[in-house]
Amino acid sequence: GENVEQHPSTLSVQEGDSAVIKCTYSDSASNYFPWYKQELGKRPQLIIDIRSNVGEKKDQRIAVTLNKTAKHFSLHITETQPEDSAVYFCAASKGGNMLTFGGGTRLMVKP
Amino acid sequence: DAGITQSPRHKVTETGTPVTLRCHQTENHRYMYWYRQDPGHGLRLIHYSYGVKDTDKGEVSDGYSVSRSKTEDFLLTLESATSSQTSVYFCASSDAGLPQYFGPGTRLTVL
């Protein structure tokens, strides 16, 4: 089955800096890649997703890039703010309805 | 948040007792899912449903059963709870399978 690895497990940045979280997946048939943000004690919330026919997608300060050849995708957050502090999860799907999640990255933005 | 609620939100039970968690959605979504979240493991799929009375196993289904008698309700049952089932359980739903939207979670402690 699909395996998704996420790095780093923790990331600390200064407010205003950029943050990058990377995920690799094992199944070349995967074609949908969402990112979820989970604040402490809250539900995971979808923040951005990308499909394999697109190489990059942006939404304000966040962007996701996909490299199908290398089987990895990344989340980029620019101009980080304290409210960006959370755990971020990547996931991959072969397009049915099954998602395989990475282990999560705890992002800490220091004011 | 896709109008998803979970009940109870917290539960403490003893080893060997049966436990049922409920997920309710008001979006008329066809697909519903149960995940468990444990430190370092991200979210792992337990069972999912693709319609009323239509369910299938996920990655970590041993010890769990599910039922879906109405579109809006998806029940997760632990027939005989064990300490290894102490976790946070999230329900999710989706109209077309992807993307998935999560409920607020249920924290289950098995003593």
Side-chain angles (χ1 to χ4, degrees), chain A residues 3-109:
Chain A
N3 183 51
V4 177
E5 295 192 356
Q6 185 171 345
H7 299 281
S9 56
T10 60
L11 178 61
S12 181
V13 300
Q14 205 68 36
E15 182 178 358
D17 288 350
S18 295
V20 180
I21 303 170
K22 298 180 180 180
C23 289
T24 60
Y25 60 99
S26 61
D27 193 333
S28 57
S30 290
N31 58 14
Y32 173 74
F33 307 93
W35 286 89
Y36 287 84
K37 175 184 180 182
Q38 187 179 28
E39 298 175 352
L40 188 63
K42 300 293 181 62
R43 72 186 77 194
Q45 292 200 303
L46 179 69
I47 56 172
I48 195 168
D49 56 9
I50 192 169
R51 297 188 185 271
S52 60
N53 58 347
V54 175
E56 182 176 5
K57 184 176 179 180
K58 290 183 179 179
D59 184 2
Q60 299 182 345
R61 295 186 298 108
I62 61 173
V64 57
T65 59
L66 172 64
N67 184 326
K68 289 187 293 182
T69 302
K71 289 189 287 186
H72 67 71
F73 56 110
S74 300
L75 178 71
H76 304 253
I77 305 174
T78 59
E79 301 174 13
T80 54
Q81 301 168 4
E83 52 264 39
D84 294 328
S85 296
V87 178
Y88 291 81
F89 292 97
C90 64
S93 172
K94 289 192 284 189
N97 62 90
M98 304 274 282
L99 280 174
T100 301
F101 283 84
T105 297
R106 182 173 300 280
L107 174 64
M108 294 172 285
V109 181

Side-chain angles (χ1 to χ4, degrees), chain B:
Chain B
D1 291 324
I4 303 178
T5 58
Q6 294 183 230
S7 59
R9 295 294 314 280
H10 302 271
K11 186 169 182 68
V12 180
T13 191
E14 294 186 350
T15 298
T17 59
V19 177
T20 295
L21 308 182
R22 180 181 183 239
C23 178
H24 180 77
Q25 54 103 355
T26 59
E27 302 293 323
N28 200 35
H29 283 171
R30 175 184 175 188
Y31 296 88
M32 296 184 75
Y33 309 83
W34 277 107
Y35 290 89
R36 61 178 289 172
Q37 184 174 42
D38 304 289
H41 288 278
L43 291 133
R44 292 181 292 174
L45 182 65
I46 304 171
H47 281 280
Y48 68 97
S49 169
Y50 47 96
V52 173
K53 297 194 188 323
D54 293 323
T55 66
D56 206 348
K57 296 179 180 180
E59 178 188 356
V60 290
S61 59
D62 287 349
Y64 301 94
S65 63
V66 291
S67 66
R68 191 168 179 202
S69 59
K70 297 186 290 184
T71 298
E72 57 267 35
D73 290 325
F74 193 31
L75 304 181
L76 177 71
T77 297
L78 291 66
E79 300 291 348
S80 178
T82 68
S83 59
S84 64
Q85 294 175 312
T86 291
S87 187
V88 180
Y89 291 86
F90 284 98
C91 173
S93 75
S94 176
D95 182 30
L98 298 167
Q100 296 177 15
Y101 301 96
F102 285 84
T106 294
R107 183 173 297 275
L108 176 67
T109 301
V110 183
L111 301 176

